[in-house]
């Protein structure tokens, strides 16, 4: 078995252990909420146990050793010998973090191991014992002694030996493998046929064995039967040679047996009949079963019975394969890319079939269109994960931080089953941590302040997720003091972000929080105010093509709403045309489309402004941004986009229409081009660039400013 | 026809390791993630290798239930366990297990034990 390399499993183990550690955290927090939660204790124990067991299997001996101590302690907890208190909870959480660090293998401190173990043993009320290694005890190992021994073994198999699935023959064979072996069977106890119980064993054996192995190795052979049988092993002086042969265990490939073979096996037909039927089959194109029935060789029932058996064998084989698999996300990405290509090629096919109006071609083309759509949806679905995995991380965060801050804060989550793209979920982690930290630190007041304000002492942070059309809405709500409008405005004025006497709507004032370098916290605490501001959150969410909204009510709390696309791989776009080239504008940003004739353009008097529903909106021509030569169209069209609550008209030659498309990145070479976020390939093979609206907004602002100046 | 061996373990890495080892040795493998899962997939299995600590239904109960079915009365069952303590082993034996392997073990030890109880 040397091909089996433990390394190939260590990655799997790491993944699994990380999942288990998350589980452990949940369990511990559940136990903290309700110390009588027996189920949680059991789950916790099991998770630790699995880490220990699998860890020792795949060479993570340190982890296994360490976990062993925790497991021992948890076992006592399970038996009610050790009480559940805060110390224990803290210790288990600490050891969980320690295991995490050990898994990483980078910077963990072995001293911490010792101190956690010592503290656990202290809890168990035990003096610190020298750490004996329980787990490396291996009953199967044979000591390697090179000296030749001769043994006489008497083995009297118990009558019920078959009932535990043991076959004594196999034990004898194993003895045979150990060296020269002579086996003498004693069947004198076998009763007469009418008294014979076929499920009982009546044999006993005398075995003369000449081997290099020690007496313990021989006992190991009988390890599974040892305590229920009459076994005597005596060492004999070496004298004569004994011999025995060992049957080879040959394993043939598993395949579905043919109907004919099964019928022969059941003695329903013979080889000759089957041969004739098979010959006939070549000329009449019927199933063997049908031919045999027609010829009256077998009955219909017999064939059905055999077919049933054949089915069971097939089922048995397929059930081996019905397991879930872990694949690296790299492979998935590749698959998604391929499907993207397929979608494009399919679109080409549809276009060709439409232009040729060939009935024979139209049908398969439509079929392929349907299948491709199905395929794309299922592939994208593979990447979908419930967001709950992220949510659970925050329970620990909230617990630890509220202790640190001396606040009583509870985290309520809902919609944990909401599914979204794995990448989005992963990239959401940091922004969410930041937002929750903010709520904990700035949002929720200390218990005393809350009490004085007539609120319950304990604060609540609600984290929820829900589907809304093609996007997922995540809200973080706290019932804290809310945002201080005046303070924010004052800060904004002092920073020169806004003129001192401006009247601003509430929403815009809150939005200052999302600006870079804006913090109203007086002091930098351990938890927030350390530079990574809300602007980072906002940027990250926008990179995910999402948006951040803030609402707040003074004294009642703050709600932050994140709206995110379900997946990053596909974009709902509006396809537009400039000078025969196609561009895609993300539909999520489009507010409306309108026609711009020269009259409207003239009205704006070269100030690049158009009137949209009574409001003036600046516009910019895509031709200008990208320096596309050629005259403006007589009638142009403008797409009004909204990004960060400011609006801009993007003027194009034509609007073609809605276009759902797979995003392709442009590669590193073009990463500095802010106006374009990616590209897609059209049905006709042309490339369409996907516009980055916020990038264009920035460019447009500069342009407009330039023209103003 | 090669034998079908079921591995019941809640640890995916253990399952994968056992199943890979068995497959390389030419066996067919059915994987089950806990006792309940295992009971549902028993059909056609020639041998069972089970962990003891599992959610939903633990290994001991699984062994008991499997043994109570007449068609599996003589099927070899191996416990895969870290409990080197005798009480668990004895409990398992009393429930009807054929034998045990203590983790950690090497793949060829597993194969040796399987060949010991299975032909």
């Amino acid at each position: 078995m040397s091909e089996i390399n433990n390394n190939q499993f260590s990655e799997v183990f790491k993944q699994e252990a990380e999942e288990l550690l998350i589980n452990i955290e949940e369990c511990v927090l559940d136990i903290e909420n309700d110390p009588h939660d027996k189920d949680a204790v059991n789950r916790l124990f099991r998770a630790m146990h699995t880490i220990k067991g699998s860890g020792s299997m795949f060479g993570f001996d340190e982890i296994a050793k360490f976990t062993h101590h925790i497991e021992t302690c948890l076992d006592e907890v399970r038996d009610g010998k050790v009480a559940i208190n805060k110390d224990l909870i803290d210790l288990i959480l600490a050891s969980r973090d320690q295991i995490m660090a050990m898994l990483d293998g980078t910077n963990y401190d072995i001293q911490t191991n010792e101190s956690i173990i010592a503290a656990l043993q202290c809890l168990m009320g035990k003096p610190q014992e020298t750490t004996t290694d329980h787990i490396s005890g291996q009953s199967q190992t044979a000591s390697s002694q090179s000296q030749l021994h001769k043994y006489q073994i008497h083995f009297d198999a118990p009558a019920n030996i078959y009932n535990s699935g043991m076959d004594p023959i196999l034990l004898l064979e194993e003895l045979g493998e150990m060296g020269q072996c002579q086996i003498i069977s004693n069947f004198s106890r076998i009763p007469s046929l009418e008294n014979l119980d076929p499920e009982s064993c009546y044999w006993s054996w005398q075995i003369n064995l000449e081997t290099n192995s020690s007496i313990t190795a021989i006992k190991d052979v009988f390890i599974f039967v040892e305590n229920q049988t009459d076994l005597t092993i005596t060492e004999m002086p070496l004298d004569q040679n004994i011999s025995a042969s060992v049957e080879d265990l040959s394993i043939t490939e598993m395949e579905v047996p043919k109907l004919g073979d099964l019928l022969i096996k059941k003695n329903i037909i013979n080889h000759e009949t089957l041969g004739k039927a098979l010959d006939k089959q070549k000329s009449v194109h019927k199933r063997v079963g049908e031919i045999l029935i027609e010829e009256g060789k077998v009955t219909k029932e017999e064939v059905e019975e055999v077919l049933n058996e054949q089915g069971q064998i097939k089922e048995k084989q397929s059930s081996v394969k019905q397991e879930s698999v872990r694949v690296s996300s790299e492979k998935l990405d590749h698959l998604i890319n391929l499907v993207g290509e397929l979608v494009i090629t399919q679109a080409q096919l549809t276009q060709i079939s439409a232009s040729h109006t060939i009935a024979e071609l139209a049908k398969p083309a439509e079929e392929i269109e349907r299948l491709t759509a199905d395929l794309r949806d299922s592939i994208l679905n593979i990447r979908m994960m419930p967001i709950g995995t992220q949510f659970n991380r925050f329970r620990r965060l909230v617990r630890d931080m509220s202790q640190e801050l001396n606040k009583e804060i509870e985290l309520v989550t809902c919609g944990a089953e909401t599914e979204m793209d794995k990448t989005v979920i992963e990239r959401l982690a940091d922004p969410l941590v930041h937002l929750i930290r903010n709520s904990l630190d700035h949002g929720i007041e200390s218990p005393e302040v809350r009490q004085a304000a007539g609120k319950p002492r304990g604060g609540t942070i609600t984290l929820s997720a829900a589907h809304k059309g093609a996007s997922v809405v995540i809200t973080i709500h706290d019932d804290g003091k809310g945002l201080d409008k005046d303070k924010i405005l004052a800060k904004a004025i002092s920073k020169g972000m806004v003129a001192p006497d401006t009247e601003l709507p509430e929403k815009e004032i809150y939005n200052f929080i999302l600006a870079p370098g804006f913090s109203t916290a007086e002091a930098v605490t351990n938890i927030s105010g350390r530079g990574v501001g809300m602007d980072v959150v906002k940027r990250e969410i926008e990179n995910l093509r999402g948006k951040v909204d803030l609402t707040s009510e003074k004294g009642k709390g703050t709600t932050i709403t994140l709206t995110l696309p379900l997946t990053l791989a596909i974009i709902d776009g509006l396809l537009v045309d400039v000078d025969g080239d196609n561009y895609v504008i993300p539909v999520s940003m489009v507010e409306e489309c309108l026609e711009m004739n020269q009259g409207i353009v003239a009205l704006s008097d070269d100030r690049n402004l158009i009137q949209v529903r009574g409001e003036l909106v600046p516009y910019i021509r895509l031709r200008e941004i990208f320096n596309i030569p050629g005259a403006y169209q007589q009638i142009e069209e403008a797409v009004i986009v909204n990004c960060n609550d400011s609006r801009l008209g993007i003027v194009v030659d034509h609007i073609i229409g809605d276009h759902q498309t797979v995003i392709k990145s442009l590669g590193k070479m073009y990463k500095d081009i802010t106006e374009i976020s990616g590209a897609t390939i059209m049905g006709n093979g042309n490339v369409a660039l996907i516009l980055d609206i916020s990038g264009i907004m920035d460019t447009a602002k500069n342009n407009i400013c330039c023209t103003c100046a | 026809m090669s034998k079908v061996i079921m591995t019941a373990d809640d640890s995916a890495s253990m399952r994968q390791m056992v199943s890979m080892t068995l497959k390389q040795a030419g066996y067919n493998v059915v994987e089950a993630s806990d006792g309940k899962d295992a009971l549902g997939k028993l059909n056609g299995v020639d041998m069972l290798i089970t962990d003891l600590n599992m959610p939903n239904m633990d290994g001991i109960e699984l062994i008991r239930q499997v043994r109570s079915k007449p068609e599996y009365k003589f099927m070899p069952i191996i416990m895969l366990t870290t409990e080197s303590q005798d009480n668990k082993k004895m409990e398992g034996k009393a429930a009807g297990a054929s034998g045990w392997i203590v983790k950690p073990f090497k793949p060829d030890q597993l194969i040796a034990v399987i060949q010991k109880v299975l032909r």
Side-chain angles (χ1 to χ4, degrees):
Chain A
M1 289 309 112
S2 56
E3 316 92 89
I4 298 235
N5 181 355
N6 269 349
N7 286 340
Q8 70 189 99
F9 298 107
S10 59
E11 270 314 304
V12 187
F13 168 71
K14 275 191 188 170
Q15 265 184 28
E16 182 183 355
E18 273 165 29
E19 280 162 27
L20 284 169
L21 287 173
I22 293 170
N23 248 328
I24 285 174
E25 199 163 65
E26 270 173 59
C27 294
V28 175
L29 297 172
D30 283 345
I31 295 169
E32 191 175 37
N33 282 343
D34 174 15
H36 302 289
D37 192 344
K38 273 259 180 325
D39 182 52
V41 178
N42 280 332
R43 273 187 290 140
L44 176 62
F45 180 83
R46 229 171 12 235
M48 282 290 181
H49 181 84
T50 305
I51 292 181
K52 178 182 107 173
S54 307
S56 68
M57 282 298 308
F58 305 121
F60 294 84
D61 293 340
E62 279 296 328
I63 295 182
K65 229 153 98 184
F66 179 61
T67 321
H68 173 74
H69 292 281
I70 305 160
E71 195 196 348
T72 316
C73 178
L74 287 175
D75 201 21
E76 304 233 316
V77 173
R78 226 166 35 158
D79 295 345
K81 286 181 199 154
V82 170
I84 294 165
N85 53 25
K86 192 173 162 298
D87 287 347
L88 179 77
I89 301 273
D90 283 345
L91 267 176
I92 291 172
L93 285 176
S95 49
R96 176 233 169 240
D97 294 346
Q98 184 68 4
I99 298 171
M100 195 62 133
M102 288 162 98
L103 271 180
D104 263 359
T106 43
N107 50 3
Y108 79 93
D109 183 8
I110 197 88
Q111 295 283 306
T112 322
N113 277 4
E114 309 273 324
S115 58
I116 291 175
I117 292 168
L120 279 174
Q121 270 161 355
C122 194
L123 273 182
M124 288 191 282
K126 274 187 198 158
Q128 199 168 346
E129 61 175 37
T130 45
T131 50
T132 44
D133 201 354
H134 293 280
I135 50 165
S136 61
Q138 177 47 260
S139 57
Q140 300 291 329
T141 39
S143 66
S144 53
Q145 277 175 317
S146 55
Q147 220 188 333
L148 206 62
H149 299 275
K150 190 169 179 249
Y151 301 98
Q152 192 175 66
I153 304 159
H154 183 82
F155 175 43
D156 195 355
N160 65 351
I161 188 167
Y162 298 129
N163 286 346
S164 61
M166 281 305 293
D167 186 349
I169 299 292
L170 299 167
L171 299 176
L172 301 178
E173 278 179 359
E174 195 177 343
L175 286 177
E177 284 167 16
M178 294 172 81
Q180 298 283 343
C181 184
Q182 187 179 42
I183 301 168
I184 303 147
S185 312
N186 176 3
F187 35 85
S188 58
R189 276 192 296 162
I190 297 180
S192 59
L193 195 56
E194 59 265 31
N195 295 327
L196 185 100
D197 174 8
E199 296 187 357
S200 286
C201 178
Y202 299 101
W203 300 75
S204 70
W205 292 272
Q206 177 158 337
I207 305 126
N208 296 318
L209 177 67
E210 206 169 305
T211 174
N212 292 336
S213 315
S214 69
I215 196 156
T216 25
I218 298 173
K219 277 189 178 155
D220 274 349
V221 172
F222 294 96
I223 185 163
F224 298 151
V225 282
E226 196 173 26
N227 59 325
Q228 40 171 291
T229 181
D230 186 2
L231 176 74
T232 48
I233 305 173
T234 15
E235 193 166 348
M236 305 289 280
L238 273 171
D239 50 22
Q240 65 188 89
N241 282 337
I242 36 179
S243 67
S245 70
V246 180
E247 209 180 302
D248 236 4
L249 286 159
S250 67
I251 291 139
T252 52
E253 267 303 303
M254 183 162 170
E255 55 184 32
V256 182
K258 296 212 168 70
L259 176 79
D261 294 339
L262 283 170
L263 285 169
I264 291 172
K265 210 168 128 193
K266 288 186 162 273
N267 283 328
I268 295 168
I269 55 169
N270 57 25
H271 281 283
E272 209 182 322
T273 329
L274 177 65
K276 276 183 196 158
L278 285 172
D279 284 342
K280 196 171 175 191
Q281 191 190 16
K282 283 173 194 151
S283 51
V284 286
H285 286 289
K286 273 187 180 168
R287 287 162 180 246
V288 178
E290 286 169 357
I291 296 168
L292 287 168
I293 294 170
E294 270 173 24
E295 293 187 357
K297 303 282 185 205
V298 292
T299 64
K300 208 171 170 217
E301 289 73 45
E302 278 168 337
V303 172
E304 263 165 11
E305 188 191 320
V306 173
L307 280 175
N308 187 21
E309 189 178 322
Q310 197 182 23
Q312 277 181 13
I313 295 167
K314 267 188 200 160
E315 203 178 302
K316 186 157 77 179
Q317 291 179 3
S318 61
S319 72
V320 176
K321 290 154 204 151
Q322 277 170 3
E323 293 299 319
S324 69
V325 280
R326 274 168 201 266
V327 262
S328 72
S329 50
E330 212 172 287
K331 283 185 191 164
L332 259 180
D333 288 343
H334 183 62
L335 198 58
I336 288 177
N337 250 331
L338 285 177
V339 170
E341 301 280 352
L342 188 66
V343 169
I344 290 156
T345 319
Q346 172 266 313
Q348 277 172 347
L349 182 68
T350 310
Q351 220 166 45
I352 293 166
S353 103
S355 63
H356 284 73
T357 52
I358 305 167
E360 286 97 331
L361 182 65
K363 202 173 164 248
E366 271 170 32
E367 191 72 350
I368 285 180
E369 188 173 348
R370 191 180 59 78
L371 287 173
T372 323
D374 273 2
L375 183 65
R376 191 195 58 200
D377 289 349
S378 355
I379 297 270
L380 289 176
N381 210 13
I382 296 177
R383 287 192 62 87
M384 294 298 178
M385 256 177 47
I387 198 169
T389 44
Q390 284 294 343
F391 280 10
N392 288 327
R393 290 176 29 161
F394 299 123
R395 286 177 69 191
R396 174 77 182 279
L397 179 83
V398 171
R399 173 196 181 269
D400 287 359
M401 276 188 43
S402 46
Q403 272 186 4
E404 204 175 307
L405 293 164
N406 285 323
K407 291 180 183 176
E408 292 162 22
I409 300 167
E410 195 195 351
L411 179 73
V412 178
T413 57
C414 60
E417 70 290 342
T418 310
E419 283 193 331
M420 61 193 299
D421 193 284
K422 191 166 181 283
T423 333
V424 182
I425 292 181
E426 275 163 8
R427 284 172 63 182
L428 257 181
D430 288 342
L432 280 180
V433 167
H434 190 87
L435 292 174
I436 289 175
R437 274 165 180 268
N438 265 340
S439 293
L440 284 161
D441 196 18
H442 306 308
I444 291 180
E445 319 87 324
S446 64
E448 295 73 31
V449 175
R450 288 180 66 91
Q451 221 162 17
K455 289 190 194 177
R457 279 177 67 87
T460 310
I461 293 176
T462 315
L463 189 57
S464 61
H467 280 297
K468 206 171 164 188
S471 36
V472 173
V473 179
I474 297 171
T475 56
I476 301 123
H477 171 80
D478 67 62
D479 62 351
K481 58 178 180 250
L483 293 170
D484 191 335
K485 210 166 42 179
D486 303 331
K487 210 160 145 188
I488 296 169
L489 190 59
K491 183 92 180 178
I493 292 168
S494 79
K495 285 216 157 209
M497 293 161 94
V498 63
D501 49 357
T502 351
E503 284 283 327
L504 282 171
E506 211 167 309
K507 204 174 168 194
E508 270 178 46
I509 298 177
Y510 294 145
N511 276 340
F512 281 126
I513 294 185
L514 304 173
F518 193 94
S519 170
T520 56
E522 284 84 6
V524 173
T525 66
N526 190 14
I527 286 155
S528 42
R530 282 185 303 183
V532 254
M534 289 289 282
D535 60 312
V536 178
V537 172
K538 191 181 169 213
R539 198 178 333 129
E540 190 58 35
I541 300 294
E542 273 169 7
N543 283 344
L544 292 169
R545 296 208 311 273
K547 59 177 191 171
V548 186
D549 277 314
L550 267 169
T551 55
S552 180
E553 201 172 334
K554 198 168 178 183
K556 291 231 174 113
T558 310
T559 308
I560 298 161
T561 311
L562 311 177
T563 314
L564 292 147
L566 270 177
T567 167
L568 295 181
I570 280 196
I571 186 171
D572 249 332
L574 187 71
L575 197 63
V576 298
D577 172 288
V578 179
D579 201 32
D581 282 329
N582 292 325
Y583 299 88
V584 176
I585 300 172
V587 160
S588 57
M589 303 215 167
V590 174
E591 269 195 350
E592 62 185 301
C593 301
L594 43 94
E595 209 178 73
M596 290 214 340
N597 56 37
Q598 291 200 318
I600 297 176
V601 177
L603 260 181
S604 82
D605 200 17
D606 277 347
R607 279 171 300 149
N608 278 13
L609 287 169
I610 34 169
Q611 218 169 29
V612 182
R613 298 178 200 276
E615 265 183 66
L616 281 175
V617 175
Y619 69 85
I620 189 162
R621 286 193 170 85
L622 219 50
R623 272 179 193 276
E624 284 167 15
I625 302 177
F626 294 137
N627 286 327
I628 301 165
Y632 302 147
Q633 298 281 317
Q634 279 292 318
I635 298 171
E636 293 169 296
E637 285 183 283
V639 182
I640 309 295
V641 292
N642 186 332
C643 177
N644 301 333
D645 283 332
S646 51
R647 299 206 283 173
L648 178 74
I650 295 175
V651 182
V652 298
D653 288 1
H654 302 290
I655 293 169
I656 298 170
D658 193 26
H659 183 74
Q660 203 188 46
T661 171
V662 181
I663 299 177
K664 300 241 166 212
S665 84
L666 284 174
K668 277 185 197 150
M669 273 250 296
Y670 302 101
K671 71 174 179 351
D672 290 331
I673 301 174
T674 50
E675 292 88 355
I676 291 164
S677 61
T680 179
I681 300 168
M682 307 285 300
N684 56 16
N686 288 346
V687 173
L689 296 172
I690 299 166
L691 302 181
D692 183 332
I693 298 303
S694 63
I696 287 183
M697 284 259 190
D698 291 342
T699 316
K701 265 180 203 152
N702 293 339
N703 272 7
I704 291 165
C705 286
C706 287
T707 45
C708 289
Chain B
M1 215 156 61
S2 65
K3 297 277 188 185
V4 182
I5 302 179
M6 173 186 276
T7 161
D9 203 313
D10 54 329
S11 156
S13 54
M14 278 303 299
R15 275 206 309 274
Q16 198 174 331
M17 185 263 179
V18 170
S19 114
M20 202 99 137
T21 308
L22 296 182
K23 279 177 187 161
Q24 286 197 5
Y27 296 104
N28 281 309
V29 185
V30 178
E31 291 184 23
S33 58
D34 60 54
K36 271 208 182 119
D37 192 21
L39 274 186
K41 293 178 180 168
L42 267 183
N43 195 5
V45 169
D46 298 309
M47 174 180 177
L48 170 67
I49 301 177
T50 177
D51 189 28
L52 288 188
N53 263 289
M54 291 187 290
N56 296 329
M57 184 192 290
D58 71 0
I60 305 267
E61 182 57 30
L62 172 65
I63 295 170
R64 203 167 284 140
Q65 299 238 6
V66 171
R67 272 284 177 259
S68 68
K69 293 176 197 278
E71 64 267 45
Y72 301 107
K73 202 169 171 187
F74 303 120
M75 178 173 75
I77 301 178
I78 295 289
M79 305 177 261
L80 211 58
T81 170
T82 50
E83 326 270 343
S84 41
Q85 299 98 324
D86 278 344
N87 57 347
K88 274 278 174 191
K89 278 187 206 163
M90 287 308 121
E91 214 181 306
K93 281 234 67 161
S98 319
W100 59 84
I101 304 174
V102 179
K103 289 189 234 175
F105 54 85
K106 294 208 173 63
D108 37 3
Q109 287 172 329
L110 175 67
I111 295 299
V113 171
I114 288 169
Q115 291 180 346
K116 187 193 270 191
V117 293
L118 193 71
R119 199 207 281 262

